[in-house]
């Protein structure tokens, strides 16, 4: 079976749906999250090693290492 590359993922919106999506990344790496409520972003980022939390969604979309944004 062919092995797939792991993507660096960003998530915008860290409420219930964002957290559900973060749990179902299929082996890809969550590297950045953003939410207007920074506390939510920090809580979600804290569940994923090397994940950064932001309040401004543009900080996620402007990162050069992110290959997909949800």
């Amino acid at each position: 079976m062919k092995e797939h590359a792991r993507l660096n993922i960003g998530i915008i919106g860290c409420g219930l749906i964002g957290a559900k999506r973060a749990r179902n990344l299929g082996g890809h790496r969550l590297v950045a999250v953003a939410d207007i409520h920074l506390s939510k972003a920090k809580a979600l980022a804290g569940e994923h090693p090397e994940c950064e939390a932001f309040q401004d969604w543009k900080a996620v979309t402007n990162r050069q290492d992110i290959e997909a944004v949800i």
Side-chain angles (χ1 to χ4, degrees), residues 4 8 11 17 21 26 29-31 47-48 55 66:
H4 297 284
N8 290 333
I11 292 180
I17 299 299
R21 290 175 175 157
R29 290 181 296 263
L30 184 60
V31 297
E47 298 174 14
H48 300 271
Q55 190 168 20
I66 292 182

Side-chain angles (χ1 to χ4, degrees), residues 35-66:
D35 195 284
I36 59 171
H37 302 287
L38 186 56
S39 61
K40 287 184 180 184
K42 286 182 177 182
L44 184 56
E47 298 174 14
H48 300 271
E50 301 180 29
C51 183
E52 286 189 81
F54 300 97
Q55 190 168 20
D56 185 356
W57 63 269
K58 293 178 205 141
V60 175
T61 60
N62 288 335
R63 284 184 52 152
Q64 297 298 309
D65 62 332
I66 292 182

